[in-house]
Amino acid sequence: MSLWIGPMRVHLNGHKELTSHNEIVTVKPKGEVFIPLNVSMNHRAEVLVKEGDTVVVGTKLGIGPEPFAIPIYSPVSGVVGKVIQMMHPWLKPTDHLVIKDDGKYTFARSFDPIDIETADRETLVAMMKEAGLMGCGGAGFPTFMKYKNPQGIETLIINAVECEPYITADYRTMKEFLDDLVYGTRAMLKASTAKNAIIAIKKNKHELCTKLQALLVNTPEIKIFMTPDVYPMGWERTLVYEYSKKRYDRLPSEVGFIVNNATTAVSFAQALRQGKPIGEKIVTISGDGVKHPVNVRVPFGTKVSEIIEAIGGYSAEDVHIIAGGPMMGKTITTDQFVITSYANAITVLKAQKIDPLPCMRCGRCNDTCPACLLPVRINNAEEAKDLNLIEKLRADQCIECGLCSYICPSKIDVTEGVRRAKRALQLRKK
Ligand code: SF4
Ligand code: SF4
């Protein structure tokens, strides 16, 4: 079954001007980083170091179990501490390995650099795995798994759309490392066996597109694909449809595509060129809940509370902290969690008291859903705890884009109801 794509008409106020023109600020941890040991929601890495060991940037700290057997590297130099439990942006407490940062950032090469002109496909895929590359679009899925056994892949899509409000981390990363974006795209293209690649980018990014076009002048197999400025254009399914008018059931590979985020391509290029795994991240810290919205460069494993303090603090006492953007991110009730190797943003919004009105049956949420669901009916079925109806209404296909809440004139948090319905279905399956 191929899933339908709903109308893509919603242009959101991006608030991107808050951070898109500001210089990136480097923030160092205050003395410790906390490295999440989970390489996926349900897979914890085996720790390869012990308390008291000395480590440098690039020391292998652990490795995940099959099929997620990717390594975790130290982003700082220092001494290994204990394993403690902390909240994770996946909204559950997980084990984190403490590294006491000596502030020197001594570096040892983790693997040899690779030249993509001479390397074969298998070597490039092995490098994706060895570098511990995880998708930087927010989901944190090991990248090599998409490339392990590519069958019938025609086109690689590098997703530089970044359609969520407030987030400009990809944009700033691309601006700073445009050459790496092209190099990483070429490497991924070779690894994918696809015939061509597109870099999908919103059409309002004129300056970036012009520079990118100049870099691609001798690379005819990679083209720029400009997308409209609507939400959620960065969703894989929407992007594949916008480019090809093809729909798929589970994975883009069913219709001949691999999709990766632009920052993942940059990270891959840096691993190939420098023999260095991802140690630091460019992350957008924005929203009306912080005094000085900005993109920061931090070692992953840095606490969010320390970053907010370093950039000037909160602008209000009562704020909502969201790991990710305001539409698809997860609200976390504490700032005692860390930047992961695949994080792209922390959005902080002033808390607002919202008194929802009764549903006026306007149908706007149904008309807007990009997954062609009936959010209001799912919400009602969830309230009635009617699991059979929830299943029939395909709540499991919700991508949690947040549009049904955003669009609702009665200010009903429809998305939260659909999320609860999804979770109820998942629990029934267990
Ligand atoms: S969050 Fe709402 S609009 Fe978005 S996919 Fe889910 S049901 Fe549809
Ligand atoms: S948009 Fe809001 S008011 Fe309109 S049908 Fe959906 S839930 Fe009801």
Side-chain angles (χ1 to χ4, degrees), residues 365 368-371 373 375 378 397-405 415 418:
C365 53
T368 313
C369 176
L373 304 177
I378 297 172
Q397 300 298 333
C398 168
I399 57 160
E400 303 186 19
C401 71
L403 272 181
C404 46
S405 292
T415 307
V418 180

Side-chain angles (χ1 to χ4, degrees), residues 323-381:
M327 302 299 283
M328 297 185 95
K330 304 244 181 341
T331 301
I332 299 194
T333 52
T334 170
D335 55 11
Q336 299 301 305
F337 67 100
V338 301
I339 300 299
T340 60
S341 64
Y342 42 89
N344 58 1
I346 303 294
T347 309
V348 186
L349 300 175
K350 284 182 186 166
Q352 286 179 344
K353 187 164 164 27
I354 295 172
D355 291 319
L357 298 170
C359 172
M360 57 179 81
R361 298 176 187 234
C362 65
R364 282 199 211 173
C365 53
N366 298 342
D367 294 345
T368 313
C369 176
C372 272
L373 304 177
L374 300 173
V376 64
R377 289 200 61 201
I378 297 172
N379 203 18
N380 293 344

